[in-house]
């Protein structure tokens, strides 16, 4: 194999991998689309099997804009959940910590010694 044969091999390998990525991208979008009827999805898949390049090209042309919207929706679907974890805890004062520890001691959940330890921790003395 000469130099240009190796370059051609890598080029066509790259084209094939890009083509596979495109096919999987189209298949993933087909299953992500809730507006498309099941029969239409089956027809698209059958066409992808028998005429894959032309079908993928037609799919990108006809459904490319909605494909982008579904992709963006799926990408940001978990965003509100992630925002909940990123919110800082409300700042607590030593007085609030001591009051909570006092309530626990009055309820009998903690002992007076544990109350004293929590009180010292709240005041800054570890």
């Amino acid at each position: 194999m000469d130099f240009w044969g190796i370059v051609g091999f890598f080029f066509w390998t790259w084209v094939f991998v890009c083509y596979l990525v495109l096919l999987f991208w189209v298949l993933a979008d087909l299953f992500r689309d809730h507006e498309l009827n099941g029969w239409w999805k089956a027809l698209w898949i059958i066409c992808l099997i028998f005429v894959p390049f032309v079908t993928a090209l037609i799919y990108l042309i006809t459904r490319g804009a909605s494909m982008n919207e579904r992709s963006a929706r799926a990408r940001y679907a978990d965003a509100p959940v992630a925002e909940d974890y990123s919110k800082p805890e409300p700042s607590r004062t030593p007085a609030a910590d001591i009051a909570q520890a006092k309530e626990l001691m009055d309820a009998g959940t903690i002992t007076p010694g544990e109350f004293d330890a929590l009180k010292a921790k709240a005041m800054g003395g570890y």
Side-chain angles (χ1 to χ4, degrees):
M1 207 181 222
D2 64 339
F3 174 74
W4 289 111
I6 294 171
V7 170
F9 172 76
F10 280 114
F11 173 76
W12 288 112
T13 302
W14 177 78
V15 168
F16 182 70
V17 169
C18 289
Y19 176 66
L20 287 178
V21 168
L22 175 67
L23 283 180
F24 286 117
W25 193 26
V26 168
L27 280 172
D29 185 65
L30 273 172
F31 288 108
R32 189 182 299 141
D33 188 6
H34 297 293
E35 298 171 2
L36 194 61
N37 187 345
W39 291 105
W40 283 108
K41 289 180 185 182
L43 181 65
W44 278 111
I45 291 171
I46 289 170
C47 291
L48 275 171
I49 291 170
F50 291 111
V51 192
F53 183 73
V54 174
T55 305
L57 186 63
I58 291 172
Y59 189 87
L60 287 176
I61 291 170
T62 59
R63 301 184 53 83
S66 60
M67 188 176 189
N68 184 29
E69 292 169 4
R70 282 185 295 279
S71 176
R73 228 177 317 163
R75 185 178 315 123
Y76 296 115
D78 296 333
V81 174
E83 288 175 6
D84 289 341
Y85 291 114
S86 64
K87 290 180 184 173
E89 251 187 64
S91 61
R92 297 188 53 128
T93 62
D97 289 340
I98 294 171
Q100 183 181 13
K102 177 72 173 151
E103 290 173 10
L104 290 172
M105 186 179 75
D106 291 341
T109 307
I110 61 173
T111 64
E114 291 171 327
F115 171 74
D116 292 337
L118 289 173
K119 182 178 171 184
K121 183 176 179 182
M123 296 299 288
Y126 296 94

